[in-house]
Amino acid sequence: MKDEIRICKNISENENGELMFAGVNTLELAEKYGTPLYVMDENRIREMCSSFRDAIAREFGEKGRILYASKACSFKRIYEIIASEKLHIDVVSTGEIHTAVRAGFPMQNAYFHSNNKTDNDIKFAIDNKVGHFVVDNVEELESLNRIAGEFGMKQKIILRVTPGIDPHTFEAVATGKVDSKFGSAIETGQAEEITAHALKMENLIFEGFHCHVGSELFEAGVFIDTAKIMLEFVADMYHKLGCFPELLDLGGGFGVRYIASQPTLDVDKTIGEIGGFIKNYCVQLGIEMPSIGFEPGRAIVADSGLTLYTVGTLKTIPGYKTYVSVDGGMTDNIRYALYGAEYTLAVAGKLNEDPDMVCSVVGKCCESGDIIQENIKLPSSTSRGDILACFTTGAYHYSMASNYNRIPRPAIVMIADKKDYPAVRRETLDDLTNLDI
Ligand SMILES: *Cc1c(COP(=O)(O)O)cnc(C)c1O
């Protein structure tokens, strides 16, 4: 097996050149469960949970908090694993809340995001005892205050603030800009306004601030720049309004290795550097350190996942390109179509063959953008019936899957201690028509 394939330690090869994932033969999984198939490595998920948990505990002690951003991958078994690892969660919809509740997740440890919570969303979340709301805007603040009053309860909240980090300076940053659709901007004064407003709401308990600036960050730099702006804002609000946050949540966005040329995130080092900065800067600003939260989504689940496909039609257009078609596509992996995401792929039974054929891997949907990856190399013997693996598909794949072209969503099988067990069954054709009246 080429080094380019071994992008995570749960990927290996047996003596027959067959792909092993989390210690299980992927060809046997494809045979047993059919394709396309999502495979997830439970041990790896737990390992990532504990590496964040340990790093954050080491750095911040009792004042560290870690939330899994469950939009990255949301189904019942994931919430059970996250609960048993003692992580908190982010949820962004009634569907995610419902799934977590059904999994028996302790909802006092859930934080409800979303830039547009309807009254029904708010009622549903209160009904299900969601611990914190991450309030995005003044309109939501007032609706939540009113509805909490109707329920005769006091709702804990943190406020989403946009630190206004310049995306030209920090390339990967997309959601922390002043003109983001999320949160209230510090720069325009709206963050201060919403804070002052929140403190007056009789049915809301102000507990802190939240921000989230980007994704695929492999180093501490952007988090440190963000923390600096947020801590200055915290100090400013303390002096102006006399409030002090119990929690400062710095969001997620930790990077994951999709292809061999990318680094592997060093969780300890990154959290350590961020923590070092925060402690110093709090002293400099003359403020106590609030509890510090992080919300990794992708980094918890991405490399625990793998998708298995069966190769179908091969088509060479002489002088142009070769297409390898698989039995899935943009319905189970929309990320290349959405933003040109990069992936590592391998023919699961042919790891001992040279990948000497340049080709594009495409799906079966009626859409020319239905591409998994372009210009990659697979063995020239690749043919109909081969099993093709696409790595690092644990985050934003199942959670973004669709039924375009009336294609049923794949099953999810988990592997724990080298044993496979089903976690989500494959959708059937009847599942598709069951909603039709
Ligand atoms: C998406 C999101 C996250 C997680 O981002 P990752 O890149 O998956 O770590 C965390 N917090 C908020 C508010 C988000 O929207």
Side-chain angles (χ1 to χ4, degrees), residues 83-159:
S84 76
E85 292 294 329
K86 305 274 188 290
L87 267 59
H88 294 195
I89 52 167
D90 279 354
V91 289
V92 297
S93 69
T94 52
E96 287 181 2
I97 293 170
H98 174 73
T99 310
V101 167
R102 283 294 174 89
F105 192 87
M107 295 307 284
Q108 74 273 15
N109 295 339
Y111 289 70
F112 186 21
H113 282 266
S114 170
N115 64 306
N116 179 24
K117 303 177 185 78
T118 65
D119 284 10
N120 276 338
D121 293 344
I122 293 172
K123 287 175 191 158
F124 187 83
I126 291 178
D127 247 346
N128 283 289
K129 314 245 175 332
V130 164
H132 287 83
F133 276 63
V134 184
V135 174
D136 186 273
N137 54 72
V138 172
E139 196 181 306
E140 177 187 338
L141 196 67
E142 289 180 344
S143 305
L144 180 57
N145 184 57
R146 169 175 50 79
I147 295 168
E150 286 163 18
F151 276 78
M153 57 90 71
K154 299 212 183 300
Q155 177 62 52
K156 290 188 276 190
I157 61 163
I158 62 176
L159 299 172

